[in-house]
Amino acid sequence: MRSFAVILGPTARRGLSRLMPVAHLLRAAGARIRVEYTQTVEQARQCATAAMHTGEVVVAAGGDGTIRLLAGVVADTDGLLGVVPAGRGNDFARQLGLPHSPDAVADLLLHGRPRHLDVLRVAGRTIVGSVYVGVDAAANELANRSRLPAPLVYPTAGLRALLRWPRTRYTITVDGRTEQTYAYTVVVANCGYYGGGLHVAPAAQPDDGTMDVVVIGHAPKLLFPIALRQMRTGRHVERRHVFSYRGTSVTVCADRPMTVYGDGDPVGRTDQLHVEVCPRALRVITG
């Protein structure tokens, strides 16, 4: 029988509400589960590390940012990660097909098998889903400040970011091959989904040892909302101003400083982004 340690941050009300029925079911099945309430990122990491050393499954009850934070610790200590989807986007859970109902989540945590997944390394950070620059990063900044209902947050933020976006030139190097282009956004993806269900990199798989790079090139701004709508199904990649690459090492340079986002959280601001893939670095209970 597995033992579980759930690490919650100071703003984890949504995660706690989703966790409680799952915790009840786990305890009813005889599993040991404890909840750690943390106030800082460093405290959360310390609690996760301590749980790893006692053989507990570290459980992320939250969204992609919570998963990213704990996945870094789990990957570094060869531990095991469980997920209770409780975020606004839940794109990592969507990619893996993880359940949302309390019964199904509890059953998966109790009986699911570990799966080895790749992670991305960016500026010393672990990214499980994708890292991106451009309109989408600007939209993410707006979305993080929004109080709109979840289904409206990302589309609204995307349109607002697009209207104020300046023409930007990128130099993209994938495994030594370099291309230059003007683009709205560049996404380096380990998983296919981002932005609350947008299938930005439909060919991406989190366990194939590579990254998918999707570039939405410059085109009239009126076409961008069409491409955004097509991202729900992944059909945007059929448009002639959308380009895709695949590799294990990616460098993205811009003609001006750019805000970098990863898994829905800010990574930094720079004019050069370098991403490496770490194959099979993370063990997650997936099925």
Side-chain angles (χ1 to χ4, degrees):
M1 182 67 69
R2 288 169 173 157
S3 296
F4 303 93
V6 184
I7 315 298
L8 292 176
T11 60
R13 291 182 181 178
R14 186 184 180 97
L16 183 59
S17 65
R18 293 286 181 89
L19 170 67
M20 296 312 294
V22 175
H24 176 75
L25 291 166
L26 292 175
R27 291 191 178 105
R32 179 176 176 269
I33 178 171
R34 63 186 182 87
V35 180
E36 290 276 4
Y37 296 91
T38 63
Q39 298 299 315
T40 65
V41 168
E42 185 55 37
Q43 186 182 7
R45 288 178 176 148
Q46 291 173 355
C47 289
T49 301
M52 293 290 99
H53 290 158
T54 59
E56 293 171 299
V57 176
V58 169
V59 176
D64 296 312
T66 301
I67 294 169
R68 175 194 56 78
L69 170 63
L70 298 180
V73 178
V74 173
D76 289 341
T77 56
D78 194 30
L80 182 59
L81 181 70
V83 176
V84 177
R88 192 161 55 183
N90 293 321
D91 289 308
F92 184 71
R94 182 176 289 106
Q95 175 72 42
L96 299 182
L98 300 182
H100 286 73
S101 72
D103 286 344
V105 171
D107 185 69
L108 178 65
L109 291 175
L110 287 168
H111 307 295
R113 292 177 298 177
R115 177 181 173 188
H116 284 85
L117 303 181
D118 309 332
V119 298
L120 308 183
R121 297 290 191 187
V122 182
R125 299 191 185 196
T126 297
I127 303 294
V128 295
S130 61
V131 58
Y132 39 94
V133 295
V135 170
D136 46 3
N140 219 144
E141 283 190 303
L142 294 172
N144 285 349
R145 299 195 296 266
S146 175
R147 295 185 178 181
L148 290 172
L152 299 178
V153 168
Y154 291 106
T156 303
L159 289 175
R160 288 178 59 194
L162 174 65
L163 291 175
R164 64 181 69 172
W165 187 251
R167 185 175 170 91
T168 306
R169 186 181 186 183
Y170 295 96
T171 301
I172 304 165
T173 303
V174 182
D175 290 349
R177 304 185 306 267
T178 299
E179 301 280 349
Q180 290 187 338
T181 186
Y182 286 95
Y184 287 116
T185 197
V186 180
V187 182
V188 183
N190 183 46
C191 295
Y193 292 94
Y194 83 156
L198 299 178
H199 208 183
V200 65
Q205 295 296 329
D207 57 0
D208 63 0
T210 64
M211 300 172 282
D212 283 47
V213 184
V214 177
V215 181
I216 300 180
H218 190 78
K221 286 188 176 181
L222 288 175
L223 293 179
F224 191 84
I226 298 174
L228 189 67
R229 191 161 58 245
Q230 290 179 324
M231 281 188 200
R232 289 289 172 187
T233 60
R235 289 192 59 197
H236 64 291
V237 297
E238 300 171 6
R239 305 193 68 85
R240 60 185 178 86
H241 65 283
V242 178
F243 310 95
S244 299
Y245 311 93
R246 179 171 291 172
T248 60
S249 176
V250 177
T251 301
V252 181
C253 300
D255 61 4
R256 61 188 180 85
M258 53 189 176
T259 299
V260 182
Y261 261 68
D263 294 338
D265 288 329
V267 173
R269 187 169 177 83
T270 181
D271 60 359
Q272 178 171 308
L273 168 70
H274 183 70
V275 189
E276 297 278 350
V277 64
C278 297
R280 297 175 59 84
L282 176 66
R283 290 198 307 147
V284 183
I285 300 174
T286 62

